[in-house]
Amino acid sequence: MATVNGHASTPDVKPLNGLFTGLPTTIFTVMTNLAIKHKTINLGQGFPDEEGPERMKQLVGAATTNQHNQYPPMFGLPELRQAVARHSKAYSGIDVQWDTETLVTVGATEAIAASFLGILNEGDEVIMFDPMYDCYGSMARRAGGIVKAVKLKVEDWSVDRKHLQDAFSAKTKLVVVNTPHNPTGKVFSKEDLQFIADLCIQYNTYVLLDEVYEHLVFGGSQHVSLRSLPGMQERSIRIGSAGKTFSFTAWKIGWVTGPSSLINAIAKAHQFLVFTVPSNLQQAVAYGLDNESSFFTTLGHSLEQKRTYLAQRLKKIGFNVLPAQGSYFLMADFRWAGLHVAADQSLYIGTFCRTITA
């Protein structure tokens, strides 16, 4: 404690990281707190109602008890990396070399953070579709990136191709494509993906593919990975999630597949973020990818039924329910409520939540 004229003075407080300390309270926290306060169902919390396969849970316990609990390999257990490679070929038609083109992470969000840190340099531009998963912008900026947001058209969540094309430049380093999309539920069409791929080739750009909801697709739609298109295998990385695939969101097991040059760069960031991932959970996920397809291939149909049930009731009370082809999400337009539209959409949604619970 410093002193002035013999009296203690308050030391100067040095500023903390401006990017993260400046972030507002997330809308999810606002909604959760309101749900707790009013003892209501929390529709803003994104986790499944049902647990995943029982056999996978049993394997976690058995691996913890019967095998060692020391550091596993930094890139992940060979059993899981091999299962990820087989899964890629079986469900996306993409060949992956398990020993050079896979990396196991602590959930998909760590995979995203490590990818930004491993790929971006200061001043690199990153194209993202808006609305977006809320970690994208902050993590890309922390890695030195400059975010170029391309808004999806609200009426049908279609891509404004002119706006997208105008966002590309010689400074574009990375494009983030999330399909099925959080939070709209949009499944990007093969035509949209081809348009994006053509621009990436033209501008020599990398692509981060957040495909954690790849199996959560509704009837009449099909998930296509942009990495499966001509010319995209060597410039794209794909991110997957056991939490979404098996409804085990607490496990935080994710993976990245892509060309070894990109995987190695991402792994350098991964080693200083977390270094490694719990081995007992990895073993259970490896089993699940190979043996529990009956669970994850039926998730889309189950979620579609639940979404239809909720959508019908929201429409009856005046909401305009926007279209979706997959994922957990349902977007409902409440502009009819007559609230002032804030520039920050999260503040607008927060106002609506507070208004209906007042």
Side-chain angles (χ1 to χ4, degrees):
M1 179 76 69
T3 59
V4 177
N5 296 326
H7 298 284
S9 64
T10 302
D12 291 335
V13 177
K14 293 185 177 181
L16 304 177
N17 181 270
L19 191 154
F20 290 117
T21 57
L23 293 174
T25 301
T26 71
I27 183 60
F28 307 108
T29 300
V30 171
M31 295 173 74
T32 296
N33 289 341
L34 286 170
I36 293 170
K37 177 180 178 181
H38 297 281
K39 297 181 172 63
T40 63
I41 296 171
N42 184 3
L43 295 178
Q45 194 71 29
F47 59 80
D49 294 325
E50 295 88 16
E51 293 279 302
E54 189 65 27
R55 178 59 180 153
M56 293 176 67
K57 292 195 288 185
Q58 294 170 353
L59 286 171
V60 172
T64 303
T65 302
N66 300 328
Q67 300 187 32
H68 73 76
N69 288 273
Q70 309 308 322
Y71 293 127
M74 187 187 77
F75 277 81
L77 290 182
E79 298 95 317
L80 179 52
R81 298 175 70 196
Q82 291 164 9
V84 165
R86 288 190 291 269
H87 187 265
S88 174
K89 179 63 175 179
Y91 294 98
S92 295
I94 301 171
D95 288 311
V96 170
Q97 296 296 318
W98 76 266
D99 56 341
T100 58
E101 298 182 335
T102 63
L103 173 69
V104 180
T105 59
V106 179
T109 300
E110 192 251 315
I112 292 164
S115 297
F116 287 149
L117 291 169
I119 294 173
L120 297 178
N121 289 311
E122 192 75 29
D124 286 339
E125 294 185 356
V126 187
I127 294 175
M128 304 176 180
F129 293 96
D130 187 27
M132 68 186 75
Y133 177 39
D134 55 0
C135 92
Y136 290 163
S138 298
M139 288 309 307
R141 292 185 185 97
R142 182 65 271 171
I146 299 171
V147 174
K148 297 291 184 178
V150 175
K151 287 188 176 294
L152 298 172
K153 297 179 182 178
V154 174
E155 295 76 16
D156 57 1
W157 305 122
S158 59
V159 176
D160 184 327
R161 294 191 174 187
K162 184 180 186 307
H163 188 188
L164 176 60
Q165 189 162 10
D166 290 345
F168 275 82
S169 74
K171 295 181 179 180
T172 306
K173 180 72 160 293
L174 184 67
V175 180
V176 178
V177 180
N178 172 210
T179 182
H181 185 259
N182 174 357
T184 69
K186 171 186 174 64
V187 173
F188 280 69
S189 68
K190 188 171 183 179
E191 291 73 24
D192 278 342
L193 295 174
Q194 187 62 63
F195 186 79
I196 297 168
D198 291 342
L199 288 170
C200 290
I201 293 170
Q202 179 182 346
Y203 287 91
N204 192 27
T205 301
Y206 297 118
V207 188
L208 184 156
L209 301 172
D210 181 350
E211 299 184 2
V212 298
Y213 301 105
E214 62 179 309
H215 295 295
L216 281 61
V217 178
F218 302 156
S221 297
Q222 181 183 8
H223 170 70
V224 176
S225 177
L226 187 146
R227 191 167 187 246
S228 68
L229 301 182
M232 297 310 297
Q233 190 144 344
E234 292 305 310
R235 65 177 68 249
S236 305
I237 56 169
R238 297 179 69 218
I239 293 174
S241 163
K244 304 303 188 294
T245 300
F246 297 108
S247 297
F248 285 134
T249 58
W251 288 15
K252 299 301 293 179
I253 299 291
W255 53 84
V256 190
T257 59
S260 59
S261 57
L262 293 180
I263 292 295
N264 287 335
I266 296 164
K268 297 289 177 62
H270 165 77
Q271 71 178 332
F272 294 126
L273 289 172
V274 297
F275 179 62
T276 192
V277 181
S279 56
N280 55 348
L281 299 175
Q282 290 191 62
Q283 291 187 14
V285 174
Y287 168 87
L289 288 175
D290 284 338
N291 298 282
E292 296 288 356
S293 61
S294 60
F295 180 84
F296 57 74
T297 57
T298 59
L299 272 178
H301 176 67
S302 172
L303 288 169
E304 184 176 16
Q305 289 180 312
K306 294 176 181 180
R307 185 186 189 280
T308 300
Y309 179 89
L310 179 59
Q312 290 171 345
R313 281 145 185 82
L314 287 173
K315 289 176 182 177
K316 283 183 179 180
I317 60 175
F319 286 93
N320 174 30
V321 177
L322 300 174
Q325 300 85 44
S327 78
Y328 291 160
F329 306 101
L330 182 150
M331 297 284 278
D333 185 350
F334 54 83
R335 284 176 291 186
W336 52 268
L339 298 174
H340 172 70
V341 179
D344 185 330
Q345 290 299 303
S346 66
L347 296 178
Y348 183 38
I349 297 170
T351 299
F352 177 75
C353 293
R354 293 187 182 93
T355 298
I356 63 175
T357 55

